Amino acid sequence: MTTKLLILGGTTEASQLASFVAQSGVDAVFSYAGRVATPKAQPLPTRIGGFGGIDGLVGYLRAHNITHVVDATHPFATQMSWNAFHACQSAGVQLIALSRPAWKARKKDLWTHVPDIGGAVDALQGEARRVLLALGKQNVPAFADQAQHHYILRLVDEPEAPPPLPHHTIVVSRGPFTLAGDLAMMKELCVDVVVCKNSGGIGAEAKLVAARKLGLPVIMIDRAELPPRREVSTVEAVLDWVTN
Ligand code: NAP
């Protein structure tokens, strides 16, 4: 069967893989969930939107003669990753994850680890502070339980409705982010504490380096369990796997 790749994207690393695959000439399609208004254009044929659960993905894999799936989604996109795992098993399609090693605290880092969004909300109990929420828009409403804080929301798109937080500033910006940019933003907006997911990777690490330099605490949301699939961490390793 002719090789045909499906890349599940939505990350800086997935975009890097798409460029690499396009140059290699391997037949491939790129998939976005459709969460942002104007997704980054890719040098590959691109589809947008969910597949319709595991069964929908099995149907898509069969209908498009996909032979290999690369799960290059964000490590917190656990639903998609588990769906890909089960659908590939069902359809007899090979699966690999282009994964991003979790960030590890360094000397001088002031991290508090929490297991999930609820844990991050609980960790914010206490006096009012200026909190940088470096999270997706879907996670913002939970922070209404700690309404005393002023939240700085860094979002990819301007929200359609105002967030349910009485005190907030919205920063519309799309990664990858730079250290100079994050330092300037955090100083200008007088950030006291950063809340983020342990995404790993390069596109969003700058805020952690900036927090270290400014001596700011970080509430770090740890990863949930991901499926037991084959994993690599470079685009070259993905292409080796596809072509060998
Ligand atoms: P999720 O909760 O794991 O997935 C929910 C549903 O969205 C999936 O069941 C699937 O719908 C659809 N979906 C997710 N990724 C898809 C993709 N690449 N192509 C087609 N459908 C996809 O996902 P999420 O956390 O909402 O993340 C959505 C997208 O945003 C992903 O592409 C991810 O890489 C990116 N992202 C997520 C985060 C985060 O913190 N979660 C951060 C940055 C970027 P069906 O069941 O209908 O197939």
Side-chain angles (χ1 to χ4, degrees):
M1 199 194 278
T2 320
T3 298
K4 185 159 181 197
L5 193 59
L6 170 65
I7 300 173
L8 303 172
T11 58
T12 303
E13 288 75 7
S15 299
Q16 287 172 343
L17 177 64
S19 300
F20 201 65
V21 168
Q23 282 166 21
S24 76
V26 169
D27 190 13
V29 60
F30 192 94
S31 177
Y32 276 123
R35 297 282 188 274
V36 302
T38 50
K40 180 178 159 56
Q42 298 295 341
L44 291 174
T46 299
R47 64 165 301 287
I48 300 181
F51 297 95
I54 297 170
D55 291 347
L57 182 52
V58 170
Y60 180 91
L61 298 175
R62 291 195 173 130
H64 293 83
N65 299 317
I66 302 293
T67 57
H68 296 69
V69 173
V70 184
D71 181 352
T73 58
H74 190 272
F76 282 73
T78 47
Q79 182 69 56
M80 186 69 252
S81 291
W82 279 101
N83 286 1
F85 177 72
H86 292 301
C88 286
Q89 277 192 332
S90 250
V93 167
Q94 298 194 61
L95 171 69
I96 203 167
L98 175 57
S99 62
R100 306 147 53 148
W103 292 317
K104 292 203 174 90
R106 301 215 190 143
K107 214 173 154 188
K108 294 198 180 159
D109 278 336
L110 304 167
W111 293 8
T112 300
H113 290 272
V114 295
D116 50 26
I117 295 288
V121 174
D122 290 347
L124 285 172
Q125 280 174 24
E127 64 185 26
R129 285 183 283 173
R130 292 179 65 87
V131 182
L132 172 61
L133 281 192
L135 302 169
K137 62 182 174 193
Q138 70 277 14
N139 301 129
V140 168
F143 290 86
D145 284 356
Q146 301 287 348
Q148 71 275 32
H149 302 299
H150 186 105
Y151 290 97
I152 292 117
L153 309 174
R154 177 153 73 185
L155 301 171
V156 178
D157 297 310
E158 192 70 49
E160 282 157 17
L165 305 170
H167 319 289
H168 67 264
T169 301
I170 293 171
V171 179
V172 175
S173 183
R174 180 189 299 233
F177 301 104
T178 64
L179 176 58
D182 277 7
L183 266 176
M185 182 268 290
M186 287 160 72
K187 279 187 195 164
E188 186 190 330
L189 296 172
C190 304
V191 170
D192 296 316
V193 55
V194 176
V195 178
C196 68
K197 297 175 178 174
N198 196 333
S199 308
I202 46 176
E205 195 178 11
K207 61 181 175 280
L208 298 176
V209 184
R212 187 180 306 137
K213 284 188 183 294
L214 297 171
L216 298 181
V218 173
I219 296 173
M220 180 63 75
I221 304 168
D222 289 330
R223 297 177 177 191
E225 196 189 347
L226 287 163
R229 66 260 158 106
R230 181 198 292 244
E231 295 192 15
V232 290
S233 58
T234 63
V235 295
E236 291 83 359
V238 173
L239 217 64
D240 278 353
W241 168 79
V242 173
T243 50
N244 290 316

